Structure formats: structure tokens, C-alpha cells
Amino acid sequence: MKLVIAIVQKEDAKKLQRAFIENNIRETRLATTGGFLSQGNTTFLIGIDDEHVKTVLRIIKQESKAREEYMNPNMVPTGFDMNSQPVKITVGGATCFVVPIDEFKRF
Ligand code: 2BA
């Protein structure tokens, strides 16, 4: 069994949750915040049998879009430059971690 941790943009979270329900995939959704942009995103925790991990990753890939954002380097805590220009960055689709699970119990 594996735990898939998927960080997606909140704009994609509803569609992704619907896709999980349609495919009978259990998940938990957490409201999270990206450390770099300090913007809200959504983290899904999905406990899943090994043979279904690929399906989960395929669904996440299908439903998550990369988007371009502009950020002002002034907002980075480590630097403050009044003359800096906004910088374009590409956020997402999704950042996924697949972690082994030693034990899974539901009481
Ligand atoms: P944020 O930390 O807010 O990062 C948003 C986007 O800013 C990132 O998109 C990336 O394009 C850029 N970025 C982040 N850190 C950077 C840095 N040190 N230098 C330059 N650009 C940087 P994604 O890579 O698609 O990440 C989207 C969100 O996924 C992140 O939001 C964070 O919440 C999460 N994430 C990404 N990589 C992670 C990791 N290794 N561990 C934990 N969370 C991660």
C-alpha cells in the first residue's frame, strides 16, 4: 500500500475530488499554503493499493493544469529590492509524493 500526497492548485481541487469520487478512490483534502508564493493550494492524501497508484497519478495529471503567475521578488522574505520587476513563474500542475505505508488500519 502507498500514500500519495498530491499538492494541487485550489482551482483544480474540485474537479479532482469529483474524479476521485467517480473512480471510487478515497481521499482526504487539506487546505494548505505554498511556502514560496504564500498562496492557498490543496493537498490530497490518498491511501491506495500498489496496483492502483498509477491510476491515481493518471487522474491527478489529467485534472491538474500548469498556470503562469507573476510574483514580485520584493515579496520574498529573503530579499527586498524596490527596483525589481515582476517575475513570471510556472506553477503546477501537481506536485506528488508516493510514500510506502507500513501499516493501514481503520477502526
Ligand atoms: P509554492 O511553494 O508557493 O511554489 C509555487 C511555485 O513557485 C512553484 O510551483 C515553483 O514554480 C515556484 N518556486 C517555488 N520555490 C521556488 C524557489 N525556491 N525558486 C524559484 N521558484 C520557486 P511548483 O513547483 O509547481 O509547486 C507548487 C506548490 O507545490 C508549491 O507552492 C508548494 O506548496 C508545493 N511543493 C512544490 N515542491 C515541493 C516540495 N519539494 N516539497 C513540498 N511541497 C512542494
Side-chain angles (χ1 to χ4, degrees):
M1 187 161 203
K2 297 285 192 294
L3 176 65
V4 179
I5 303 169
I7 304 159
V8 303
Q9 293 177 64
K10 57 183 181 200
E11 292 86 345
D12 296 324
K14 276 250 157 63
K15 257 180 12 156
L16 183 53
Q17 191 182 25
R18 215 173 301 133
F20 284 145
I21 291 168
E22 280 162 12
N23 287 276
N24 204 22
I25 294 165
R26 287 169 181 254
E27 42 80 11
T28 294
R29 221 163 35 138
L30 306 173
T32 46
T33 304
F36 192 67
L37 292 182
S38 293
Q39 284 180 4
N41 52 28
T42 301
T43 299
F44 286 87
L45 305 179
I46 305 131
I48 194 83
D49 291 333
D50 286 16
E51 66 260 37
H52 293 123
V53 169
K54 271 194 180 153
T55 306
V56 168
L57 294 176
R58 179 177 48 75
I59 291 169
I60 295 169
K61 191 175 175 187
Q62 261 170 19
E63 302 297 342
S64 309
K65 291 189 176 54
R67 293 181 179 85
E68 290 189 334
E69 302 264 348
Y70 286 87
M71 60 102 48
N72 190 332
N74 286 336
M75 291 159 56
V76 176
T78 49
F80 194 86
D81 176 6
M82 293 297 286
N83 300 315
S84 63
Q85 297 293 312
V87 177
K88 187 163 78 172
I89 53 172
T90 304
V91 185
T95 301
C96 298
F97 305 88
V98 180
V99 184
I101 294 178
D102 287 342
E103 264 191 275
F104 171 69
K105 297 216 189 299
R106 292 168 65 212
F107 298 107

